Amino acid sequence: MTEPLRLGIAGLGTVGVGVVRIVRTHAALLAARTGRPITISAVSARDRGRDRGVNLSQYAWEDDPVALARRDDVDVFVELMGGSDGPALAATRAALETGKDVVTANKAMLAINGQSLAEQAEAAGRVIRFEAAVAGGIPVIKSLTESLAGNEITRVMGVMNGTCNYILTRMEATGQGYDVLFDECARLGYLEADPNLDVGGIDAGHKLTLLSSIAFGTRPDFDGMEIEGIQRITLEDIRQAADMGYRIKLLGVAQKTGRGLEQRMQPCLVPAESPLGQLEGGTNMVVIEGDAVEQIVLRGPGAGQGPTASAVLGDICDIARGTRLPTFGQPAATLEAAPSARSSLPAPYYLRMSLVDKPGVLAKIAQILGNAGISIDRMRQYSHSESAAPVLIVTHKTTREALDEALSAMEGIDVIMTRPVALRIESV
Ligand code: HSE
């Protein structure tokens, strides 16, 4: 009988329990596909007494994930605790030190500590796999690292936070405001323990950091990412964008430019009829463009027990089969430290502002834009009953630099009632 691949699972929340379930229910299938049994030696979580709906009595229990990671009867340390440092990082390092491969769903830990972990793993001859860390059940890491290895990747983009997409699409469908839908997400258990990770764009930013490292052969650089959340998006923005043929998405975009690596996670307008524009609810979508493949679109569940555990099992099966790849697709020492290029590529922008309704006001705005070298493509003033006139402007392509110059010039005039909202229009 071939030696089993023995797992130690740290973290028994939704995903950890999902992994235990699949290892049990699909034991024969997994052994047939990988050529060896996959077993669980030990588990660890914060609260041993909690009923998780699965019988864990046949596995050894460790209160301390570091002790679990160091056990001699563990071949693969499965890290499903979360957190960029603390116990997750300590246990992952301990696992690598003691000769274990690592499978993790922890995007924050890898986005922030990925380079040093990849170096540690490679020095120890171990692998770190993290399919479940990005876009849940969608096999995007494998697609980029393996299936698309023959391409120069030109752009990676996507909607990678289901909670934000749920809020934005439900705002449009129901006419309810951001706050109401945020509360609904809290009730439904969609929010991370720190909701700002979701609505502030940080969770999705961590995911994009990992994709851009693989896509462009660069060191994971979360600090170099421009991040903006969805908290300022109003029903008005959503309705007016729809009126002009767009949908608002929390969209991540990574691409190489002449000035370095541009990485953005921010609300953007995309054409309503595009695949990204059509994406509803908590589903994720990743679009990858390469010189040979042109464009591929991957769509699927970005969270949840089954989809995330499915991705974890995919990695475990690869290890069982003997597949060994560098963490970010090429040896860690060869990853480039690319300078961060903040929104350097020009794009059209959507501007919404509320103006005092009196003669000459629009001319002032047009002049400020003109002074910054920004040309107006389309403009609308909506009907209104009070003294403030809602105005929407779509610009021709311009740089973020020019736009920021215009926005700060607008701060100095007394005809703007509220700070203008500026959203990039992404061609997809
Ligand atoms: N909170 C994430 C989301 C799922 O809403 O997509 C875990 O990454």
Side-chain angles (χ1 to χ4, degrees):
M1 179 72 169
T2 324
E3 288 293 302
L5 184 78
R6 301 164 302 171
L7 311 178
I9 303 176
L12 293 170
T14 310
V15 182
V17 168
V19 171
V20 172
R21 288 208 167 106
I22 297 183
V23 169
R24 277 205 197 145
T25 54
H26 290 335
L29 192 72
L30 296 170
R33 287 186 177 155
T34 64
R36 59 194 289 200
I38 291 174
T39 61
I40 299 171
S41 298
V43 294
S44 169
R46 268 198 295 246
D47 176 5
R48 184 169 189 176
R50 204 175 114 204
D51 179 9
R52 296 176 167 86
V54 282
N55 180 3
L56 301 169
S57 60
Q58 72 243 58
Y59 313 131
W61 179 276
E62 295 280 0
D63 287 323
D64 176 7
V66 173
L68 176 87
R70 291 187 182 280
R71 285 177 70 100
D72 290 338
D73 58 356
V74 166
D75 302 309
V76 178
F77 177 61
V78 183
E79 188 282 301
L80 302 171
M81 293 179 284
S84 59
D85 38 37
L89 183 61
T92 300
R93 292 210 184 279
L96 296 171
E97 271 162 31
T98 52
K100 320 295 177 356
D101 292 323
V102 173
V103 173
T104 178
N106 191 333
K107 58 231 122 186
M109 178 176 76
L110 289 174
I112 291 161
N113 298 297
Q115 180 68 27
S116 69
L117 283 171
E119 286 168 7
Q120 187 186 346
E122 285 166 37
R126 309 320 309 174
V127 296
I128 302 176
R129 304 289 304 241
F130 56 96
E131 187 66 77
V134 181
I138 306 179
V140 59
I141 304 291
K142 201 171 184 69
S143 300
L144 260 181
T145 314
E146 298 177 47
S147 317
L148 300 174
N151 286 260
E152 182 180 347
I153 302 297
T154 47
R155 184 167 63 158
V156 177
M157 60 188 160
V159 168
M160 289 175 269
N161 184 276
T163 305
C164 288
N165 203 54
Y166 179 86
I167 292 176
L168 293 172
T169 52
R170 293 283 294 163
M171 280 171 80
E172 181 169 356
T174 66
Q176 292 173 299
Y178 171 84
D179 292 338
V180 174
L181 286 157
F182 179 92
D183 291 346
E184 184 176 308
C185 283
R187 272 198 311 280
L188 293 170
Y190 288 180
L191 292 170
E192 300 278 336
D194 172 5
N196 193 45
L197 291 177
D198 286 313
V199 296
I202 299 161
D203 165 82
H206 288 149
K207 294 167 181 167
L208 184 63
T209 300
L210 304 181
L211 293 188
S212 60
S213 171
I214 300 169
F216 304 111
T218 50
R219 291 169 167 239
D221 179 21
F222 177 66
D223 289 341
M225 175 143 344
E226 289 172 78
I227 296 190
E228 192 184 323
I230 62 166
Q231 302 97 322
R232 285 190 68 216
I233 304 295
T234 63
L235 264 177
E236 257 176 298
D237 290 318
I238 288 179
R239 287 190 181 131
Q240 290 164 4
D243 205 26
M244 305 194 62
Y246 297 106
R247 291 237 157 81
I248 299 178
K249 298 284 167 196
L250 178 68
L251 185 70
V253 181
Q255 59 199 328
K256 273 266 185 81
T257 75
R259 288 164 63 179
L261 180 63
E262 185 173 317
Q263 301 181 100
R264 295 179 272 114
M265 181 57 68
Q266 56 194 187
C268 288
L269 271 64
V270 298
E273 75 283 358
S274 64
L276 282 163
Q278 295 284 310
L279 189 70
E280 296 287 333
T283 309
N284 283 197
M285 182 174 283
V286 181
V287 179
I288 305 172
E289 295 169 351
D291 58 352
V293 75
E294 298 177 4
Q295 185 185 74
I296 65 162
V297 177
L298 301 166
R299 177 183 183 283
Q305 184 171 78
T308 314
S310 157
V312 171
L313 261 299
D315 283 342
I316 291 170
C317 287
D318 263 358
I319 292 173
R321 288 166 167 147
T323 305
R324 308 198 64 81
L325 297 165
T327 311
F328 296 105
Q330 64 185 62
T334 69
L335 294 168
E336 189 195 338
S340 144
R342 297 192 164 253
S343 290
S344 60
L345 295 176
Y349 281 83
Y350 155 106
L351 302 176
R352 177 172 64 79
M353 58 194 81
S354 196
L355 300 177
V356 173
D357 193 1
K358 64 179 191 192
V361 168
L362 268 181
K364 271 193 188 171
I365 298 297
Q367 173 137 38
I368 287 176
L369 291 171
N371 288 347
I374 300 172
S375 167
I376 295 173
D377 179 22
R378 283 181 284 165
M379 182 150 88
R380 274 189 201 169
Q381 180 173 315
Y382 286 84
S383 61
H384 57 100
S385 49
E386 294 154 23
S387 56
V391 168
L392 200 151
I393 294 172
V394 172
T395 72
H396 282 293
K397 274 190 180 180
T398 182
T399 59
R400 182 75 218 192
E401 239 172 332
L403 189 74
D404 286 342
E405 181 191 322
L407 291 174
S408 56
M410 286 179 200
E411 274 172 23
I413 57 170
D414 56 4
V415 296
I416 295 200
M417 311 277 291
T418 53
R419 203 173 127 215
V421 171
L423 301 174
R424 186 179 166 110
I425 301 177
E426 197 70 41
S427 65
V428 297

